[in-house]
Each structure stands twice: as structure tokens, then as C-alpha cells.
């Protein structure tokens, strides 16, 4: 195998797909690290990807999908016929089923569910119905649970008989439930192994364990794990029936995914995660909506300059300071947005706290605006020897810094109250307002003081 081919695993995959040998294909994929597998599939044509997945048996295809980024896995499933997709989805763990089916268009998801067995479809529907950023959306439905009337020997026999099925379970604890599947207790496996065979497990369990509700969000889950050292927590419904477990590692991944998603939205990647393996028209459409709005908003800011072009022509030095004031104010506003977004995610602030946030940000804006404005005023004075020029740009920067932090701190709260995504719209709104106010402050003040600036 040549060095070029080794560095481009997609070339090998293309050749293996052409041969139609599923065993060699599966063997090669097993030797690829997850990141390399994702990279290789991203380079393949969509038709080749579709054939590759259908060549693999459903279990191996499901393992491959588990290794891929969520957007890439969803894209692959979306390309497959419903029957082929259904067999792969059935082989996925419960949590992964929800991750794959949830983002699909309703008609595609329904077609896949109809092709699944009734029992598997019912379970998948339930899992996919939970919001992704809740305990129900994050939980693993595969958990060890035993009736409270079992003996130690009964549990040990079950573990041995189903060792292969339990191999992928998160086996730190076993859970004890009553006849109605309501959570009764947690059974430490160490205590189980050391106990007498005929001892009832209810005598070994930790009764009334802590649990979370299906609709608990990431903030509630994060608070729970911050207060405890548990590796996982049982999830129950309103009746106390155990539905699954959320692992600490799954929560950490979900928090990281949300942070990355929020960042993508602030730069205009709309509709979730974007990968270059997605269809070009879809990627272009997602970006174009945000960019089109920005064109309109930037025209508004540019109109302020157009209305004061005579002032700008008379004092051309102002053109040097306009981008400085715009950029510095934008940086201050972005800091305020970041703090509000973080406090929203932690549950520290809510839309009702808008005036509290506004007061806090204006205080910081006054301090930082005065400091930055004074510095820029000194630079302008030293450069042109005109203290009035320094006064204009210094006051404008100080004022615009206060405007920027006020907008950056409160707009996410307003959008949240209106049911909009704060991460998506805070960027363009902030940029337009700070540019418009900054240009207006500089050019408006310069127009008033024009004789002193040109004298």
C-alpha cells in the first residue's frame, strides 16, 4: 500500500466499495481511528457513502455511526432507503437512536420507524420525543435493574446468563425496582458479590436514591453532578418509574456540544452543526439567510456615514478612528453577550432580570469606556495636535462602549423572552447597533464642533 494511499484512506474505501466485499470493508474500518473514519467518509461521494453503509451488516454499520459526529451520522441515515436505515437504527443503543432520528424531517423519521419492528419503533419514538438537552434526551435506556424480591443468587445468575447483552451497559451500579418498575434503590455491585447467595437484594440496596426527572435540563443535571461524585444518576418519570440513566460523561459532552452550537450560531451557522459533507445547497441556504440580514443591517450603519459625508470630507482624520471605535465597542459588547449567555445557561439570570443586568453592565461600561476613551483621545491629540479631535473620538468611544455593553448584556434576555434563540441573533443586532451609534456619535459630535476641528 503506497504512502499516498495510506494518508488518504477514502481512496482505499472507494476501492473496497467497488469490490463489494463487506468483510474486507468491515475489517479495514475496524482498524481506522474514529477521527480518520469520519475524515475518510467526508471525502467520499454521497453515492459511495450510501453503498458503503449498505454493504456493512446493520450491527457494524451502527458501530460506525456511533463513531461519527452527529451531523455526519444523521446525513448518512438520511441518504439510505427506509428499510436499510431502520435495520441500522434498531442496532443502535437507545440514546443514539434519539440522536439520529430527532434531527431528521418528520416524514423521513416516520418512514424509518414504520420499517422497524413494533417494539423497537415504540421505544425509539419515546426516546426521540424527548428534548435533546434534557435528562430524557441524554439518558441511556440500557441499565441493570432487578425486582426488589430477587435474591443475590438470582441476580448473579442473570448477570452470567446475559453477560454478552450487558457488555455495553454502564455497569457501575444495578438498580432495584418494585413490581411497577418504580425505582426503590441502588445496589452496589461490590456488596452484591460479597453477600450470601440467598440474601434478598432489598437488604443490600441503598434505599430512596437520588434521581432526576425526564424533563430536567442541562442546568439541573450539571447542578446535580456538581453536588455529588456519582458517575451516573437514574432518570424517573412523574410516577417514579425508572426510564434510564444519565452518565456524567454524557452530560459533559452535551454541555460541550451546546457551547459549540452557540458559537456556530453567533457567527451565522444556522440550523445546527455544519460539516462540509452536507449537501452544498443546504449549507449555502443556512448561511445565506444570516448573511442577507447582515447586508441590510450594514446598509443602515453605512447610511449614517452617508448622511455626514461633508463632515467626514472636512476632517478626513475621523475616517481613521471610525473603525477603531466600531471595533473596540463591538469587543466590549461581545464580552457582555458572552457573560449573559453563560449566566442564562447556568440559570443565574432570566429575562425578568433585564434591568438588573442593564445596571451592572452600564457600570462596567462607564469605567471601561472612560478608560478607553481617554486613551484614544490622547492618541488623537498627540497625532494631530488638536485637543478637540481627541475630545470627539474619546467621548464617542466612551459613549459607544456603554451602548455596546448595554445591548450585549440585555438583547439575549429580550430574545429569550420572545422565544428566540439568543445565540443566533445577538451578533448581528449588536454589530449593527454599535456601528450605527458609534458612527453617529463621532460624526454628530464632529458636526457640532466642526469649526474647532478645522480651525
Amino acid at each position: 500500500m503506497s504512502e499516498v494511499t495510506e494518508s488518504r484512506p477514502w481512496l482505499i474505501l472507494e476501492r473496497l466499495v467497488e469490490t463489494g466485499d463487506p468483510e474486507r470493508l468491515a475489517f479495514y474500518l475496524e482498524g481506522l481511528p474514529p477521527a480518520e473514519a469520519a475524515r475518510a467518509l467526508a471525502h467520499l461521494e454521497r453515492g459511495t457513502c450510501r453503498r458503503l453503509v449498505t454493504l456493512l451488516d446493520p450491527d457494524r454499520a451502527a458501530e460506525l455511526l456511533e463513531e461519527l459526529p452527529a451531523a455526519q451520522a444523521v446525513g448518512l441515515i438520511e441518504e439510505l432507503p427506509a428499510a436499510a436505515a431502520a435495520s441500522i437504527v434498531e442496532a443502535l443503543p437507545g440514546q443514539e437512536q434519539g440522536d439520529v432520528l430527532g434531527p431528521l424531517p418528520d416524514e423521513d423519521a416516520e418512514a424509518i420507524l414504520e420499517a422497524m419492528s413494533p417494539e423497537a419503533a415504540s421505544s425509539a419514538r419515546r426516546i426521540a420525543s424527548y428534548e435533546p438537552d434534557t435528562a430524557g434526551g441524554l439518558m441511556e435506556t440500557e441499565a441493570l435493574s432487578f425486582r426488589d424480591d430477587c435474591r443475590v443468587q438470582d441476580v448473579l445468575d442473570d448477570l452470567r446468563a446475559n453477560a454478552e447483552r450487558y457488555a455495553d451497559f454502564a455497569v457501575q451500579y444495578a438498580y432495584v425496582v418494585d413490581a411497577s418498575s418504580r425505582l426503590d434503590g441502588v445496589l452496589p455491585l461490590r456488596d452484591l458479590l460479597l453477600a450470601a447467595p440467598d440474601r434478598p437484594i432489598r437488604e443490600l440496596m441503598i434505599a430512596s436514591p437520588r434521581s432526576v426527572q425526564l424533563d430536567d435540563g442541562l442546568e439541573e443535571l450539571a447542578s446535580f453532578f456538581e453536588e455529588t461524585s456519582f458517575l451516573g444518576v437514574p432518570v424517573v418519570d412523574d410516577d417514579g418509574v425508572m426510564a434510564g440513566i444519565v452518565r456524567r460523561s454524557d452530560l459533559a459532552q452535551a454541555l460541550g456540544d451546546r457551547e459549540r452550537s452557540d458559537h456556530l450560531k453567533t457567527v451565522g451557522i444556522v440550523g445546527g452543526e455544519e460539516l462540509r459533507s452536507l449537501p452544498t445547497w443546504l449549507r449555502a441556504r443556512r448561511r445565506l439567510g444570516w448573511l442577507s440580514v447582515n447586508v441590510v443591517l450594514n446598509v443602515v450603519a453605512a447610511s449614517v456615514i452617508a448622511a455626514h459625508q461633508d463632515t467626514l470630507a472636512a476632517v478626513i482624520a475621523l475616517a481613521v478612528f471610525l473603525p477603531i471605535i466600531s471595533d473596540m465597542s463591538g469587543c466590549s459588547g461581545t464580552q457582555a453577550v458572552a457573560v449573559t449567555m453563560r449566566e442564562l445557561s447556568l440559570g443565574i439570570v432570566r429575562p425578568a432580570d433585564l434591568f438588573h443586568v442593564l445596571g451592572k453592565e452600564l457600570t462596567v461600561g462607564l469605567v471601561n469606556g472612560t478608560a478607553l476613551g481617554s486613551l484614544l483621545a490622547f492618541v488623537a491629540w498627540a497625532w494631530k495636535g488638536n485637543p478637540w479631535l481627541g475630545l470627539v473620538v474619546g467621548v464617542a468611544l466612551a459613549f459607544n462602549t456603554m451602548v455596546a455593553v448595554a445591548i450585549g448584556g440585555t438583547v439575549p434576555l429580550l430574545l429569550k423572552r420572545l422565544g428566540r434563540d439568543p445565540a443566533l441573533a445577538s451578533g448581528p443586532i449588536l454589530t449593527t447597533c454599535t456601528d450605527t451609534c458609534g458612527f453617529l456619535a463621532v460624526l454628530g459630535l464632529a458636526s457640532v464642533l466642526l469649526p474647532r476641528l478645522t480651525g
Side-chain angles (χ1 to χ4, degrees), residues 132-135 138 216-223 251 254-255 258 345:
D133 286 349
T134 63
L138 292 179
D216 282 352
L218 296 187
E219 291 76 22
E220 290 89 346
L221 293 172
S223 177
L251 173 64
L255 290 170
R258 185 172 69 175
S345 70

Side-chain angles (χ1 to χ4, degrees), residues 113-161:
L113 288 166
E114 288 180 357
M116 296 169 64
S117 66
E119 182 180 354
S122 176
S123 175
R125 285 181 199 278
R126 186 179 68 255
I127 294 168
S129 69
Y130 301 128
E131 292 295 327
D133 286 349
T134 63
L138 292 179
M139 71 179 180
E140 297 178 358
T141 55
E142 296 84 3
L144 291 178
S145 62
F146 301 96
R147 285 275 300 273
D148 56 7
D149 55 359
C150 289
R151 297 175 303 121
V152 169
Q153 191 61 53
D154 298 329
V155 175
L156 294 177
D157 290 343
D158 180 80
L159 291 174
R160 294 189 185 98

Side-chain angles (χ1 to χ4, degrees), residues 241-372:
V241 174
M242 184 172 172
I245 58 171
V246 172
R247 292 196 292 179
R248 181 184 291 269
S249 58
D250 291 331
L251 173 64
Q253 181 178 340
L255 290 170
D257 289 344
R258 185 172 69 175
E259 184 176 345
R260 286 187 290 273
S261 176
D262 286 347
H263 172 69
L264 289 173
K265 290 173 182 175
T266 60
V267 295
I269 304 299
V270 183
E273 185 178 7
E274 178 183 318
L275 299 175
R276 292 187 175 89
S277 56
L278 295 175
T280 300
W281 66 269
L282 176 61
R283 296 175 55 226
R285 187 186 68 189
R286 286 179 171 182
R287 295 189 188 187
L288 190 58
W290 189 85
L291 293 172
S292 300
V293 171
N294 267 270
V295 168
V296 175
L297 295 177
N298 276 287
V299 167
V300 173
S303 65
V304 175
I305 297 178
H308 294 83
Q309 55 185 330
D310 293 340
T311 300
L312 192 58
V315 189
I316 197 65
L318 291 173
V320 175
F321 293 99
L322 286 177
I324 296 176
I325 293 171
S326 173
D327 181 67
M328 291 303 301
S329 301
C331 289
S332 297
T334 300
Q335 290 175 333
V337 169
V339 173
T340 298
M341 293 296 296
R342 177 59 176 162
E343 290 187 338
L344 275 171
S345 70
L346 294 174
I348 295 175
V349 298
R350 297 179 180 179
D353 301 319
L354 186 143
F355 289 105
H356 170 75
V357 171
L358 178 62
K360 292 286 188 180
E361 286 299 335
L362 285 176
T363 303
V364 172
L366 178 61
V367 174
N368 287 351
T370 301
L372 295 172

Side-chain angles (χ1 to χ4, degrees), residues 304 308 311-312 315 318 322 325 377 387-400 437-454:
V304 175
H308 294 83
T311 300
L312 192 58
V315 189
L318 291 173
L322 286 177
I325 293 171
W388 294 101
L389 177 64
L391 176 66
V392 167
V393 297
V395 170
L397 179 55
F399 168 76
N400 210 37
C437 291
F439 297 160
L440 189 60
V442 173
L443 298 174
L445 191 57
S447 297
V448 174
L449 299 175
L450 190 59
R452 297 184 182 276
L453 294 173
T454 56

Side-chain angles (χ1 to χ4, degrees), residues 54 92 114:
T54 53
L92 288 169
E114 288 180 357

Side-chain angles (χ1 to χ4, degrees), residues 8-163:
R8 298 179 179 179
W10 54 91
L11 298 178
I12 301 174
L13 287 178
E14 285 178 350
R15 199 158 56 237
L16 291 173
V17 170
E18 288 174 5
T19 63
D21 187 338
E23 292 187 4
R24 289 181 60 195
L25 179 61
F27 179 78
Y28 180 71
L29 285 169
E30 286 173 4
L32 278 182
E36 279 298 289
R39 175 171 173 256
L41 290 175
H43 281 77
L44 294 178
E45 295 293 331
R46 295 170 65 185
T48 306
C49 270
R50 182 167 56 247
R51 190 168 175 222
L52 181 153
V53 176
T54 53
L55 278 172
L56 300 172
D57 67 78
D59 289 335
R60 181 63 191 93
E63 291 175 7
L64 175 63
L65 259 63
E66 288 185 68
E67 295 173 352
L68 299 178
Q72 200 171 9
V74 172
L76 280 176
I77 285 292
E78 197 170 10
E79 288 288 314
L80 299 176
S87 61
I88 296 173
V89 171
E90 282 196 44
L92 288 169
Q95 179 193 18
E96 301 292 336
Q97 290 180 352
D99 292 344
V100 168
L101 292 174
L104 291 176
D106 291 343
E107 59 273 17
D108 292 344
E110 190 59 35
I112 293 172
L113 288 166
E114 288 180 357
M116 296 169 64
S117 66
E119 182 180 354
S122 176
S123 175
R125 285 181 199 278
R126 186 179 68 255
I127 294 168
S129 69
Y130 301 128
E131 292 295 327
D133 286 349
T134 63
L138 292 179
M139 71 179 180
E140 297 178 358
T141 55
E142 296 84 3
L144 291 178
S145 62
F146 301 96
R147 285 275 300 273
D148 56 7
D149 55 359
C150 289
R151 297 175 303 121
V152 169
Q153 191 61 53
D154 298 329
V155 175
L156 294 177
D157 290 343
D158 180 80
L159 291 174
R160 294 189 185 98
N162 296 284

